[in-house]
């Protein structure tokens, strides 16, 4: 049976079914050799990707660019609101309409939830949400799942601890939603009380078979998980900076805690201090592999959306 990918836009992981996720992960596996430059592809030759990054980014933007270039496509765009005409007062809608004229697909990052969805409603080219405020980050989730599948062998039966800023961290929101599509998953939610997982995500988890438990200490769960998924405290999303100062440094994963454990450590990065440097040279470190996996996964996304939706 020929599998097809039905989505035109990637806005929220909640729009995905399990088979959509598996389609992208399988495509990404096939593109590994090209991602690592052991092979070449001209799949997206002559195509242009528009990168509209209103909010800072390193990995997401650079890996989208790398993915597009590995497929012989090209990129245009801006890296902050300040370097676009939005700073002169142009509306996001007008900016997006311009980009639609120039590109075959758009990648959007913005500090406000819902901006990618808004843009997808007014343009005809595929739109990819590369992070909207504290909302969703669906392509990060796809590369997280790809990493879990490669490293652990399966996403079903996973026991994962999501650690840190579960309130503002969009990566953990998307990842929790995605895990609802898999079997026999247990999620430990490890955060300070002020940064607990939002109620709306817990309600989504309640509707599925995913088992979850809110805990406050890493030590309580470390013997029971395959994955520690660590996140930074999202300083820029705090209304009151004193609140951030009180909470920062609340969780730190170090080499000593991990010794003898059968697990991997993941992190969407950037890391501040929540994973000690002494973990970097251990077998537990999968966060740099995870970052590298962004390329085959984003290649799979771009190839699929642009080829399925020619201009
Ligand atoms: C994350 C993001 O932007 O949400 N980074 C990323 O895309 N890899 C995580 C973060 O900023 O903490």
């Amino acid at each position: 049976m020929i599998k097809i990918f039905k989505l035109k836009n990637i806005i929220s992981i909640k729009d995905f079914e399990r088979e959509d996720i598996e389609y992208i992960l399988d495509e990404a596996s096939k593109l590994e050799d090209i991602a690592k430059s052991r092979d070449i592809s001209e799949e997206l030759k002559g195509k242009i990707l528009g990168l509209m990054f209103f909010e800072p980014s390193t990995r997401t933007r650079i890996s989208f660019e790398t993915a597009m270039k590995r497929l012989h496509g090209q990129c245009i765009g801006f890296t902050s609101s300040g370097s676009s005409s939005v700073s002169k007062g142009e509306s996001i809608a007008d900016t997006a309409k311009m980009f639609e004229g120039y590109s075959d697909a758009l990648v959007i990052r913005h500090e406000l939830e819902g901006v990618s969805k808004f843009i997808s409603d007014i343009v005809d080219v595929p739109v990819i949400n590369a992070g909207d405020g504290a909302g969703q980050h669906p392509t990060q989730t796809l590369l997280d799942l790809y990493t879990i599948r490669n490293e652990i062998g399966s996403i079903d039966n996973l026991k994962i601890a999501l650690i840190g800023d579960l309130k503002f961290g969009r990566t953990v929101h998307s990842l929790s939603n995605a895990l609802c599509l898999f079997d026999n998953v247990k999620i430990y939610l490890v955060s300070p009380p002020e940064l607990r997982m939002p109620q709306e995500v817990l309600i989504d988890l309640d509707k599925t078979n995913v088992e979850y438990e809110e805990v406050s200490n890493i030590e309580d769960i470390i013997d029971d998980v395959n994955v520690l998924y660590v996140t930074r405290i999202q300083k820029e999303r705090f209304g009151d900076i004193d609140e951030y100062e009180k909470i920062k440094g609340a969780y730190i994963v170090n080499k000593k805690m991990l010794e003898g454990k059968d697990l991997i450590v993941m992190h969407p990065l950037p890391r501040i201090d929540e994973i000690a440097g002494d973990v970097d040279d251990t077998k537990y470190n999968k966060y740099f592999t995870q970052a590298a996996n962004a390329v085959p996964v984003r290649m799979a996304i771009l190839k699929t959306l642009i080829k399925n939706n020619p201009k």
Side-chain angles (χ1 to χ4, degrees):
M1 197 181 78
I2 297 174
K3 290 187 187 160
I4 49 156
F5 184 78
K6 300 178 289 293
L7 302 174
K8 177 180 175 189
N9 304 301
I10 297 190
I11 305 296
S12 165
I13 207 77
K14 287 164 100 173
D15 299 330
F16 281 66
E17 291 177 35
R18 178 175 173 144
E19 64 192 30
D20 301 316
I21 291 180
E22 285 173 343
Y23 181 98
I24 296 294
L25 304 197
D26 292 345
E27 279 297 308
S29 290
K30 291 183 214 156
L31 292 164
E32 276 273 339
D33 277 352
I34 300 165
K36 294 190 174 138
S37 86
R38 291 186 297 244
D39 194 1
I40 55 166
S41 162
E42 303 215 326
E43 298 266 13
L44 295 183
K45 194 170 179 184
K47 303 292 182 191
I48 293 182
L49 181 65
L51 298 165
M52 299 172 61
F53 277 70
F54 296 91
E55 212 191 28
S57 169
T58 304
R59 268 149 300 275
T60 304
R61 185 173 55 78
I62 301 297
S63 61
F64 265 114
E65 273 199 55
T66 308
M68 194 63 186
K69 289 177 179 174
R70 287 278 185 221
L71 296 167
H72 281 213
Q74 295 185 61
C75 300
I76 55 165
F78 56 84
T79 57
S80 68
S81 303
S83 61
S84 78
S85 285
V86 170
S87 64
K88 298 184 195 165
E90 184 170 60
S91 70
I92 291 175
D94 282 4
T95 308
K97 279 283 185 194
M98 298 302 307
F99 266 75
E100 177 189 21
Y102 304 147
S103 342
D104 296 283
L106 301 180
V107 181
I108 323 274
R109 171 170 286 196
H110 200 281
E111 60 273 22
L112 291 179
E113 274 177 54
V115 166
S116 306
K117 169 78 178 95
F118 167 72
I119 292 176
S120 73
D121 289 339
I122 59 167
V123 301
D124 278 333
V125 294
V127 172
I128 301 168
N129 177 7
D132 59 339
Q136 286 261 325
H137 196 351
T139 67
Q140 176 70 42
T141 294
L142 292 166
L143 72 93
D144 293 344
L145 295 173
Y146 185 75
T147 306
I148 292 169
R149 196 172 83 166
N150 283 357
E151 300 298 330
I152 312 276
S154 149
I155 304 165
D156 292 322
N157 305 313
L158 183 72
K159 289 183 175 183
I160 185 168
L162 307 180
I163 301 169
D165 189 344
L166 308 186
K167 180 177 180 189
F168 296 119
R170 54 197 172 199
T171 64
V172 285
H173 301 162
S174 299
L175 183 54
S176 299
N177 285 132
L179 290 173
C180 292
L181 299 171
F182 293 85
D183 296 329
N184 195 28
V185 172
K186 168 109 198 208
I187 308 178
Y188 292 102
L189 302 167
V190 189
S191 72
E194 299 85 345
L195 297 179
R196 288 172 59 187
M197 187 62 92
Q199 203 57 34
E200 64 194 71
V201 179
L202 298 182
I203 291 169
D204 288 337
L205 294 178
D206 283 332
K207 287 186 209 146
T208 70
N209 291 329
V210 169
E211 218 187 301
Y212 71 89
E213 198 178 320
E214 294 185 283
V215 291
S216 38
N217 290 314
I218 300 176
E219 287 75 11
D220 294 343
I221 50 86
I222 198 162
D223 287 317
D224 196 37
V225 294
N226 317 107
V227 179
L228 293 181
Y229 189 100
V230 188
T231 63
R232 91 186 151 92
I233 311 277
Q234 307 268 307
K235 182 178 182 183
E236 70 276 27
R237 305 199 200 285
F238 278 67
D240 178 356
I241 204 66
D242 291 341
E243 283 301 310
Y244 167 75
E245 292 296 332
K246 270 191 246 157
I247 295 170
K248 72 171 190 194
Y251 292 104
I252 297 182
V253 173
N254 61 36
K255 183 177 172 181
K256 192 157 184 295
M257 298 163 61
L258 299 171
E259 269 160 13
K261 312 288 184 219
D262 186 17
L263 54 78
I264 61 168
V265 179
M266 294 175 62
H267 191 308
L269 304 176
R271 138 178 77 171
I272 310 303
D273 57 2
E274 54 284 344
I275 301 178
D278 63 4
V279 181
D280 293 3
D281 292 331
T282 69
K283 63 176 182 178
Y284 305 104
N285 167 7
K286 293 295 170 198
Y287 31 95
F288 295 133
T289 305
Q290 183 186 357
N293 286 340
V295 176
V297 172
R298 291 189 166 121
M299 284 168 74
I301 292 166
L302 293 173
K303 178 183 154 187
T304 305
L305 293 188
I306 294 175
K307 292 207 135 209
N308 283 357
N309 300 283
K311 238 177 149 175

